[in-house]
Amino acid sequence: MKLLTANFLNCSNKKCTSSPEAFPLDVVDAKLAIQQLELKPEFLIGIMPRIDWNALLKTTRQLGNYSLPDEKPDLVDDSDEVLLKSLHNVLLETEITEGKMVCGNCGHVYPIFEGIPNMLLSESEI
Amino acid sequence: MLSTPVTSQLRLKEFQDVYEPAEDTFALLDALEKDAKKLRQMAEMKNLLTAEIGCGSGCASSFLKSGILKNKPIVHFMSDISNSACRASKITALNNRELYKDDNGLFITVQTSFLDGIRLGNGVDILIFNPPYVPTEFEEIPSEAATIASAWAGGTDGMDVTSTLLNQLKDILSQDGVFYMVAVARNKLHSICEILQKDGFIVNETLKRKAGRETLSILRIYRIGNTIWDE
């Protein structure tokens, strides 16, 4: 899964959805891969309003990446090439191939296997 | 006419549990293609979030995202409880992006039930769902989620899985969003309509087709006051 995906995942347990600890999930034991892709400024500009910046910073820093600015940048056009490139690299070119995501509220561990996050709960947890 | 997505990897043994595109899939594709102009119009207005629940082979997802909405900056989610379906869908997405020359947007595959664990709020603009709609006796429903039966076995009236989604739809679909689902006559379509109308949705039967003993229906569902779809 792309690192961007982590910004769209929270704990599947309904009891956790309102907890601030349940998002973003903590990424641990992650294996990363970089996949070179063509930069699409239009896509990045469009996705920015949907991104929770603080959650993204938490995820990237857990993975040892400090390339993003502390404040959510205003991305309205394709003039800031440096920023676009760093967003592109972090959000889309960085793949988490294996690893785990842990809910900070209930401690549930969600495995990532062959790049696919498994958000299923066992029947006893629903 | 758009070509049907290629899903030739399903011949591999590791994908034997994945539901292959069949009459119901093709009916859904035809219904989407019939609405292609309006779906593209939606994509002109904003960057869409789209999703398929129970993506199976990923055929319908690829058709929508890479075929009809080719080159639009869309994020498309594919969810399935089966790991092999998720893996098959990823391959279908990748292969057909190339075939359709779809060069923008993103597929996100998540192994989950419905959209559980995916943070979409009321944000899904186009949702597609080909549920397990075949009415089955309780005993027939497989307890093991990964078996292929979970792709078709729908419990009483074939509505067990569908009802769960219909009850959440108001919290999933965006204000101007549209939802397509497959149903058969035995699903008691009037009860589907009743649940949805109570929540302020309009239900159109956009396509109806005989497939063997079944009559397949594709339902198009949107909120009252949706200016794109209200006719």
Side-chain angles (χ1 to χ4, degrees):
Chain A
M1 60 177 246
K2 298 189 183 301
L3 200 146
L4 172 65
T5 306
N7 213 258
F8 284 103
L9 299 177
N10 59 10
C11 187
S12 294
N13 194 325
K14 300 274 182 285
K15 288 177 206 140
C16 291
T17 20
S18 56
S19 161
E21 306 297 318
F23 176 76
L25 299 166
D26 293 315
V27 181
V28 293
D29 300 336
K31 265 194 209 160
L32 301 182
I34 299 292
Q35 189 196 6
Q36 299 235 323
L37 296 167
E38 194 191 329
L39 177 72
K40 298 275 180 194
E42 180 201 8
F43 180 78
L44 288 167
I45 294 164
I47 198 76
M48 278 299 270
R50 302 203 192 259
I51 288 178
D52 185 310
W53 195 256
N54 287 332
L56 178 65
L57 286 181
K58 191 174 166 198
T59 306
T60 53
R61 287 170 188 181
Q62 277 173 352
L63 297 170
N65 183 313
Y66 290 83
S67 67
L68 297 178
D70 287 347
E71 296 288 324
K72 186 172 186 172
D74 244 350
L75 193 65
V76 285
D77 55 40
D78 57 3
S79 57
D80 191 342
E81 214 173 299
V82 179
L83 175 64
L84 280 170
K85 274 188 179 159
S86 98
L87 281 169
H88 176 68
N89 174 263
V90 169
L91 295 173
L92 300 172
E93 292 189 317
T94 308
E95 289 268 344
I96 306 176
T97 57
E98 308 283 332
K100 297 181 188 106
M101 288 175 292
V102 184
C103 174
N105 192 50
C106 72
H108 193 281
V109 178
Y110 297 97
I112 302 164
F113 180 62
E114 291 180 11
I116 300 171
N118 181 344
M119 304 305 292
L120 289 171
L121 296 170
S122 66
E123 252 166 65
S124 59
E125 293 166 302
I126 299 168
Chain B
M1 246 183 63
L2 276 171
S3 59
T4 305
V6 172
T7 53
S8 50
Q9 81 278 15
L10 297 183
R11 281 183 232 127
L12 298 174
K13 195 162 180 285
E14 61 175 304
F15 297 126
Q16 64 186 3
D17 284 346
V18 178
Y19 186 76
E20 278 193 56
E23 284 306 319
D24 50 351
T25 320
F26 302 135
L28 177 58
L29 302 191
D30 291 344
L32 291 170
E33 190 162 21
K34 218 170 79 169
D35 286 349
K37 205 176 145 192
K38 285 193 174 181
L39 294 170
R40 288 191 197 113
Q41 196 186 327
M42 285 176 75
E44 293 298 328
M45 284 155 55
K46 63 171 179 178
N47 289 27
L48 301 179
L49 271 189
T50 59
E52 180 176 16
I53 292 172
C55 54
S57 65
C59 178
S61 279
S62 277
F63 189 79
L64 174 69
K65 154 81 186 70
S66 299
I68 293 178
L69 299 173
K70 170 180 161 175
N71 285 332
K72 304 285 187 210
I74 287 167
V75 180
H76 180 79
F77 288 85
M78 303 190 283
S79 92
D80 205 293
I81 55 171
S82 147
N83 182 263
S84 43
C86 289
R87 283 185 291 118
S89 293
K90 269 187 102 160
I91 296 171
T92 300
L94 193 70
N95 290 346
N96 290 287
R97 283 194 88 143
E98 212 166 296
L99 291 171
Y100 286 118
K101 303 198 188 327
D102 169 37
D103 201 24
N104 205 341
L106 181 69
F107 283 94
I108 295 181
T109 315
V110 182
Q111 187 180 354
T112 192
S113 175
F114 300 99
L115 296 171
D116 293 356
I118 311 179
R119 218 170 145 266
L120 295 168
N122 266 63
V124 180
D125 298 304
I126 304 170
L127 179 67
I128 53 180
F129 186 38
N130 184 358
Y133 54 70
V134 180
T136 41
E137 295 300 320
F138 186 72
E139 294 73 25
E140 281 179 66
I141 301 172
S143 54
E144 182 54 56
T147 64
I148 188 144
S150 62
W152 53 264
T156 319
D157 299 331
M159 285 291 289
D160 284 7
V161 179
T162 305
S163 307
T164 308
L165 179 66
L166 296 184
N167 287 317
Q168 305 176 16
L169 190 66
K170 59 181 186 308
D171 304 318
I172 294 174
L173 212 60
S174 70
Q175 212 48 45
D176 35 357
V178 60
F179 168 46
Y180 292 87
M181 68 166 275
V182 182
V184 292
R186 286 190 290 161
N187 294 148
K188 305 200 170 142
L189 297 185
H190 65 269
S191 70
I192 295 184
C193 294
E194 259 170 44
I195 301 178
L196 289 166
Q197 280 161 356
K198 191 168 52 74
D199 285 336
F201 289 103
I202 291 174
V203 185
N204 305 147
E205 187 179 46
T206 167
L207 189 145
K208 196 172 177 173
R209 181 179 294 170
K210 276 257 180 230
R213 286 183 308 159
E214 295 286 10
T215 304
L216 291 166
S217 293
I218 308 297
L219 306 181
R220 185 212 288 135
I221 294 149
Y222 52 88
R223 282 178 216 274
I224 292 169
N226 183 325
T227 48
I228 295 180
W229 297 97
D230 252 337
E231 277 156 3

